[in-house]
Amino acid sequence: MSTRSPAAPRSPGFSREDPYPAYREARSRCPVVHDPELNAYVVTRYADVAEVLADPASYSSLLAVPMYVDNPPSVREALGADVLEDPGTYMVVADPPEHRPLKSLGSALISRERVEGLRPVIAARARRLVDAFEADGRADLVSAFADPLAYGTLCDLLGVPEESRARTRRRVDLALHLIDPGAPEETKLQAAAAVRQWYAEVRTLVAAKAEQPGDDLLSDLVLTGHASQAWAYVQSLLGAGLYTTRHLIAGVVHTVLEPEHRSHWGELAADPAHAPKLVEEHLRRDAPHRGLSRLTTHAVQLGGATIPAGSTVLPLVGSANRDEAVFPDPDTFVPGRSNIRKHLALGRGIHVCVGAHLARAEADVALGVLSSRLPNAQLERGFTPRYVPSPYFRGLLELPITW
């Protein structure tokens, strides 16, 4: 029988600011249940979420996120055929066998070696950002630090020229409306106009890379014969990659500055090698995205429920990462857990995040720079966390700190 899942965003008692009590209730009462408002099976226990993510043959990624073509006719017309028919393939919605070459290409382009080579560049940008507000004694670390650090790093990686970065940043935000089913059509039309301009600019940039390649991802795509993937990479990295990394950076700083965890800040200032364990435990405890939908390719049994073929499944990684059966005392921040790498914040199976090394590196560097430059930092008095109203991401709207 269908019932509302306590973990569904508009269920009674669900809180965007603190969804974890609702997740806990869902795990204990209805861990796999069809939610009629979402028209999806909501999955909340770790074992079931991990099974969905690790079995692409049964759970297709075709519906992982909405695509531009899913918009109303007026919006599709505003986008134009060239945007809608771009030959690039998005890794996040690809299934085997199409997925394998895309993942191999992505892993080569965003390799661990490349990311390690970017660490000094990330650190230099982080120090410049702190330079800009250090004398003020107060800053919003989302707008003044986490967002420009994540965005600038991705632009460096892609090879986006400095002169176009400001207008591209505005277009990234607008583009999100095109994959938000709840966005008004007028808003989507404005977004479509911006994305169409952005698409034309990316094509011009790719042509320039063919004439004069640089040490960047777009140049590598051109030089290796994969220029057709350029738009897909720009959209993916400056979309999902930007927001998840921004939310990770701001989120882990917020966690470590909370009074009950504040001792970690001093440890970081003395030795930034503490950063990775803090980042990993924050990823488990407060994953920066909700989870991506799947589509059943045949009837399946999952968590005691029978799910018909062609059904939408929503695996909630934020709930799975607080499953008591896997992580003892799951609501408590415990850096250095023995099984910490079991968390699902960055995916599992073939769709594990191709940019995971980069996101971790940025958060590590951010913690090291901030703790050394602002050793007396604390959350602004009276600060109450508020989170973005997004169907995909979980992240702070702002993070005011003082020192």
Side-chain angles (χ1 to χ4, degrees):
M1 183 177 70
S2 294
T3 184
R4 288 248 63 192
S5 170
R10 288 186 291 273
S11 291
F14 184 90
S15 166
R16 180 196 306 157
E17 273 56 53
D18 183 13
Y20 298 107
Y23 289 169
R24 188 185 312 118
E25 180 186 355
R27 289 194 302 272
S28 65
R29 184 165 65 83
C30 47
V32 179
V33 65
H34 183 265
D35 187 277
E37 185 172 330
L38 296 176
N39 192 25
Y41 286 82
V42 181
V43 184
T44 52
R45 285 182 184 167
Y46 181 96
D48 300 324
V49 172
E51 181 176 339
V52 171
L53 299 181
D55 184 4
S58 300
Y59 302 94
S60 167
S61 293
L62 182 65
L63 298 182
V65 292
M67 303 300 288
Y68 288 169
V69 73
D70 299 325
N71 279 287
S74 61
V75 178
R76 297 200 301 271
E77 182 179 355
L79 279 167
D82 50 351
V83 177
L84 294 174
E85 298 171 10
D86 183 84
T89 303
Y90 293 83
M91 195 187 312
V92 69
V93 295
D95 291 323
E98 184 181 36
H99 179 270
R100 181 183 293 275
L102 295 171
K103 187 60 173 285
S104 296
L105 176 62
S107 298
L109 291 170
I110 315 175
S111 66
R112 188 182 296 272
E113 293 74 21
R114 187 171 214 160
V115 170
E116 289 305 308
L118 280 173
R119 277 183 181 264
V121 179
I122 298 169
R125 173 172 281 107
R127 289 191 292 267
R128 290 195 302 272
L129 290 169
V130 175
D131 288 343
F133 58 70
E134 186 176 16
D136 299 338
R138 181 195 184 276
D140 168 23
L141 283 193
V142 173
S143 61
F145 186 82
D147 189 279
L149 180 62
Y151 178 65
T153 300
L154 289 170
C155 285
D156 288 344
L157 176 66
L158 284 163
V160 178
E162 289 284 350
E163 61 270 19
S164 67
R165 292 187 182 188
R167 61 178 175 269
T168 295
R169 182 65 191 82
R170 293 190 293 272
R171 291 165 178 169
V172 174
D173 281 340
L174 285 169
L176 278 183
H177 297 303
L178 295 176
I179 60 170
D180 181 357
E185 187 167 341
E186 182 179 351
T187 301
K188 286 177 174 283
L189 285 170
Q190 294 173 350
V195 167
R196 182 169 177 79
Q197 294 170 339
W198 185 15
Y199 180 77
E201 192 165 294
V202 169
R203 291 185 65 174
T204 300
L205 178 59
V206 169
K209 299 291 184 184
E211 292 293 325
Q212 190 173 352
D215 182 16
D216 55 65
L217 190 148
L218 287 178
S219 294
D220 288 354
L221 284 172
V222 172
L223 294 173
T224 58
H226 295 97
S228 63
Q229 292 296 321
W231 178 238
Y233 267 89
V234 168
Q235 289 279 281
S236 298
L237 289 176
L238 292 184
L242 166 60
Y243 297 107
T244 51
T245 305
R246 179 183 81 180
H247 297 331
L248 169 59
I249 293 169
V252 68
V253 172
H254 172 235
T255 296
V256 178
L257 286 181
E258 289 178 313
E260 61 268 37
H261 310 134
R262 184 61 174 68
S263 61
H264 295 300
W265 197 252
E267 294 175 357
L268 278 167
D271 183 3
H274 287 289
K277 68 180 182 182
L278 301 174
V279 171
E280 217 60 40
E281 174 66 346
H282 175 76
L283 279 168
R284 179 203 66 82
R285 189 167 171 261
D286 209 15
H289 74 92
R290 176 195 66 176
L292 302 179
S293 299
R294 296 291 189 265
L295 180 70
T296 54
T297 60
H298 57 85
V300 297
Q301 296 290 324
L302 184 70
T306 300
I307 304 179
S311 298
T312 300
V313 175
L314 179 58
L316 294 178
V317 296
S319 176
N321 285 345
R322 293 211 189 190
D323 191 331
E324 303 84 349
V326 180
F327 302 105
D329 196 12
D331 296 334
T332 302
F333 186 70
V334 185
R337 287 177 182 268
S338 60
N339 65 346
I340 187 55
R341 285 288 184 148
K342 288 190 70 174
H343 74 73
L344 304 174
L346 298 172
R348 171 65 62 86
I350 66 171
H351 282 286
V352 67
C353 178
V354 74
H357 302 320
L358 182 60
R360 287 183 169 112
E362 290 183 66
D364 290 350
V365 169
L367 283 175
V369 170
L370 286 171
S371 60
S372 64
R373 293 286 299 273
L374 306 173
N376 298 318
Q378 57 186 339
L379 298 176
E380 187 173 71
R381 183 174 298 178
F383 169 63
T384 300
R386 295 181 302 125
Y387 289 80
V388 295
S390 167
Y392 308 107
F393 303 112
R394 174 166 172 79
L396 292 164
L397 283 167
E398 60 181 357
L399 181 61
I401 67 167
T402 60
W403 54 92

